[in-house]
Amino acid sequence: MKFWVNNNNKKQSVIAGDKIRASLKDLGIEEYRRSPDLVISVGGDGTLLSTFHAYSNHLDKVKFLALHTGHLGFYSDWTDQEIPELTQRIKDYKDKIPSTSYPLIDIKVESEDGRYLHEVAINEVVVRRLSSMTMKTSIDIDGEFFESFRGDGLCFATPTGSTAYSKAIGGALVHPKISVFQMVEIASINNRVYRTISSPIIIPHNQQVDLYPQVADDYVISCDGITTKLMKVKRISIRLNSQRAQFAQYRHRHFWTRVGTAFLGQDEE
């Protein structure tokens, strides 16, 4: 087994990253950045997202592990105070890493000139405009017209991403065992011309959402906070990716316990 550790630049994360590197090397496990089996993110949720995107082209091989140096996040099972216990678990399962998987969102943008942009997200994809003008688009679901949308934008979230931005704008909390994604409208406008459902909708794994936005030169997509400007957009297609993100699961934390800890202030046992 090979590993790689990615930590942010905060002092606590640097110390924790160095500690787990040294501990794993002492066990004879090789550190290898280019093609690791286990990628350990040390820091916060932002560090985990950047770590995921750094290895999103190796999903068939890599398993991720998040070690938080603050409060536990939704992808994290460990804190920097538990490195000795984590190291022992990695040693015990050195030959076969136990894992669980999470759905990913796949987004494709087709331009009028025939160019394509393809991205993947573990939390959410947000489509909006940079200017103060509202976004106008028709929306098809599974190949059939669904609604004419006008508003600030649209958010498409995975189950694990349902606890992030999607929740802040009124989305549902979805258990990651369910292979679905959701569409949440951002400040939609309803009148005689634009009629929207004005409610989050849950979309199954085998269906696709297609957006056909009105012509504008300031559309952007944000994939897990990474923003890309779009030019001459013809169609934007969103569905679940055929691959899933694999996370090393050296111990189990119940999803609803994580929700209670993060939002209700409940203590974990």
Side-chain angles (χ1 to χ4, degrees):
M1 186 181 77
K2 300 179 179 65
F3 78 94
W4 182 254
V5 176
N6 180 46
N7 56 263
N8 63 34
N9 293 324
K10 294 182 180 179
K11 182 178 179 180
Q12 189 175 358
S13 300
V14 172
I15 293 172
D18 290 343
K19 184 175 181 179
I20 196 166
R21 283 188 193 93
S23 298
L24 293 178
K25 287 181 180 180
D26 286 345
L27 294 176
I29 302 175
E30 182 183 354
E31 184 178 19
Y32 188 58
R33 182 173 187 171
R34 180 173 297 179
S35 183
D37 303 292
L38 178 66
V39 176
I40 303 172
S41 169
V42 181
D45 287 338
T47 307
L48 182 277
L49 292 177
S50 64
T51 302
F52 166 78
H53 282 276
Y55 287 92
S56 61
N57 291 327
H58 303 274
L59 296 177
D60 58 335
K61 177 178 175 60
V62 169
K63 292 181 175 63
F64 299 94
L65 188 149
L67 187 148
H68 268 236
T69 51
H71 299 290
L72 284 177
F74 281 91
Y75 295 102
S76 174
D77 294 325
W78 303 89
T79 69
D80 56 335
Q81 303 300 315
E82 300 172 309
I83 289 177
E85 181 183 353
L86 172 58
T87 304
Q88 183 61 46
R89 297 286 181 92
I90 294 175
K91 177 183 178 182
D92 292 343
Y93 293 94
K94 185 176 178 181
D95 296 328
K96 186 175 181 181
I97 303 172
S99 65
T100 188
S101 66
Y102 299 135
L104 302 170
I105 280 185
D106 186 278
I107 181 167
K108 294 179 180 178
V109 181
E110 181 183 356
S111 300
E112 294 285 356
D113 58 8
R115 290 181 298 169
Y116 285 86
L117 173 69
H118 183 204
E119 300 286 353
V120 64
I122 191 171
N123 263 6
E124 75 275 314
V125 171
V126 178
V127 183
R128 57 185 178 84
R129 293 180 66 179
L130 279 175
S131 69
S132 59
M133 301 293 289
T134 55
M135 172 179 160
K136 303 174 185 178
T137 183
S138 63
I139 301 174
D140 288 6
I141 298 179
D142 203 24
E144 296 187 4
F145 175 76
F146 178 69
E147 68 179 20
S148 292
F149 172 83
R150 181 176 182 178
D152 285 354
L154 293 162
C155 174
F156 301 89
T158 65
T160 44
S162 71
T163 61
Y165 180 61
S166 173
K167 178 182 181 298
I169 58 174
L173 295 180
V174 182
H175 197 287
K177 291 290 186 182
I178 307 172
S179 190
V180 297
F181 67 103
Q182 68 177 303
M183 180 179 76
V184 186
E185 299 175 0
I186 307 172
S188 58
I189 296 172
N190 281 278
N191 53 34
R192 287 183 297 176
V193 178
Y194 295 94
R195 301 297 300 171
T196 72
I197 199 69
S198 299
S199 175
I201 61 172
I202 308 298
I203 301 163
H205 67 91
N206 60 345
Q207 293 188 357
Q208 178 171 299
V209 176
D210 291 301
L211 310 180
Y212 298 90
Q214 286 191 358
V215 176
D217 60 1
D218 61 346
Y219 287 109
V220 294
I221 57 167
S222 296
C223 298
D224 296 332
I226 303 170
T227 300
T228 303
K229 188 174 181 179
L230 306 178
M231 301 295 291
K232 299 180 179 179
V233 178
K234 179 179 179 181
R235 179 175 64 176
I236 302 173
S237 302
I238 303 99
R239 63 180 301 122
L240 285 187
N241 195 282
S242 59
Q243 292 183 296
R244 295 165 65 95
Q246 303 287 328
F247 276 71
Q249 192 174 45
Y250 292 108
R251 69 180 178 194
H252 176 69
R253 290 179 63 231
H254 199 286
F255 175 75
W256 298 119
T257 300
R258 299 179 192 220
V259 171
T261 302
F263 299 114
L264 303 175
Q266 300 171 356
D267 293 331
E268 291 187 274
E269 295 181 357

